[in-house]
């Protein structure tokens, strides 16, 4: 009987020791610790999984370099989220989290967050034809983009990036309108350090050949533009000063000026009130006359004959070939697949 009592006492003591030991253990560490930047860019939402049943709470620490830490919050037991406020945008923050009770603390869970977001897509994109150019306007839906990227597709061609504009922009003017009788399509993206947004909804506009009510006249001082909406009473608009203008040819929104020993000069005349020079291309001879068809400029270049130039990129003309003529090439006309050259005596 005595031995049985002793056995029971030993069992109870062992159970008590195990129970006391179990009760005195530190809580288990939290897991799935994550940081989510909120749209304000000055707040980070921290979430985690509570893996213990005996914590008294959780301590949260923060650092901007991962070396020096400060405790920013103590939250109650069974809590699984916390919002850190008053932060600086575009900054990396590091976080530590552990559970604690009267007997110690768990191991730290670690995470970090960057206070920025991939910007949302622009909205309300509209394309409109204004004075021979296409004006794009849109709504800026972001406070943290660094730039906009504009893409264009003409007809059934592929999408191409045509411009980048700075943050907070809401307009862009596309002056490179060289193909008519087709539809121009546009879409816009925003971008920052974290990536690129989805594209805006596509905007489109059909472009017909623009009616020209302006004529250009080569003079001793340059090229003069006149409004001939009323042909009997032409109105002088502006003079584009040039050194030796011989003749001018208009194609789409550009004027191609044969400028003597200086080659050809290309002028943007989309807005006849404010024309401006885009570039010049020095031909080997003396440019008397120029004719443009299908983005190819044919130049009557004096003693050098016919000079053929690719002007599909008006900012970077590219000489394709030269055809020597027996005399002095001083005039040019192109029809179908033939170029007709006035070649002085020949």
């Amino acid at each position: 009987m005595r031995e049985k009592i002793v056995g029971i006492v030993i069992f109870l003591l062992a159970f008590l020791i195990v129970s006391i030991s179990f009760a005195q253990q530190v809580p288990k560490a939290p897991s799935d610790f994550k940081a989510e930047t909120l749209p304000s860019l000055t707040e980070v939402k921290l979430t985690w999984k509570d893996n213990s049943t005996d914590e008294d709470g959780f301590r949260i620490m923060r650092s901007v370099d991962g070396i020096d830490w400060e405790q920013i919050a103590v939250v109650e037991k069974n809590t699984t989220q916390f919002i850190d406020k008053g932060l600086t945008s575009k900054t990396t923050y590091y976080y530590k989290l552990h559970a604690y009770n009267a007997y110690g603390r768990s191991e730290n869970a670690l995470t970090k967050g960057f206070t920025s977001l991939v910007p949302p897509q622009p909205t309300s994109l509209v394309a409109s034809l204004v004075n021979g150019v296409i004006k794009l306007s849109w709504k800026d839906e972001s406070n943290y983009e660094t730039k906009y990227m504009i893409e264009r597709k003409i007809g059934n061609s592929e999408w191409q990036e045509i411009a980048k504009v700075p943050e907070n922009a809401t307009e862009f003017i596309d002056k490179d309108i060289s193909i008519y009788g087709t539809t121009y399509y546009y879409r816009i993206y925003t971008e920052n350090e974290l990536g690129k947004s989805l594209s805006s909804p596509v905007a489109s506009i059909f472009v017909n050949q623009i009616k020209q009510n302006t004529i250009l006249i080569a003079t001793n001082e340059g090229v003069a533009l006149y409004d001939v909406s009323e042909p009997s009473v032409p109105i002088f608009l502006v003079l584009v000063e040039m050194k030796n203008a011989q003749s001018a040819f208009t194609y789409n929104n550009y004027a191609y000026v044969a400028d003597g020993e200086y080659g050809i000069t290309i002028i943007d005349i989309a807005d006849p009130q404010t024309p401006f020079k885009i570039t010049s291309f020095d031909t080997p001879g003396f440019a008397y006359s120029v004719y443009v068809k299908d983005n190819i400029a044919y130049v009557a270049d004096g003693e050098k004959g016919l000079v053929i130039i690719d002007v599909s990129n008006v900012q970077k003309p590219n000489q394709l070939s030269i055809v020597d003529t027996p005399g002095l090439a001083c005039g040019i006309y192109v029809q179908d697949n033939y170029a007709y050259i006035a070649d002085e005596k020949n």
Side-chain angles (χ1 to χ4, degrees), residues 12-40:
L12 291 174
L13 287 172
F15 178 78
L16 181 60
I17 291 171
V18 171
S19 298
I20 292 172
S21 176
F22 179 77
Q24 290 179 345
Q25 71 180 0
V26 298
K28 293 180 180 180
S31 60
D32 294 333
F33 189 29
K34 298 177 182 178
E36 176 191 356
T37 300
L38 299 181
S40 67

Side-chain angles (χ1 to χ4, degrees), residues 30 33 79 99 147 163 184 231 296 319 330:
F33 189 29
T79 302
K147 60 186 173 183
Y184 284 66
I296 302 296
Q319 182 172 303
C330 55

Side-chain angles (χ1 to χ4, degrees), residues 305-326:
L306 172 64
V307 178
I308 302 174
I309 304 169
D310 181 353
V311 290
S312 56
N313 182 345
V314 293
Q315 296 181 342
K316 294 182 179 180
N318 178 40
Q319 182 172 303
L320 298 178
S321 61
I322 299 178
V323 180
D324 190 16
T325 59

Side-chain angles (χ1 to χ4, degrees), residues 33-53:
F33 189 29
K34 298 177 182 178
E36 176 191 356
T37 300
L38 299 181
S40 67
L41 303 188
T42 60
E43 298 175 310
V44 170
K45 181 180 180 181
L46 302 173
T47 59
W48 60 90
K49 182 180 179 181
D50 179 3
N51 292 319
S52 62
T53 58

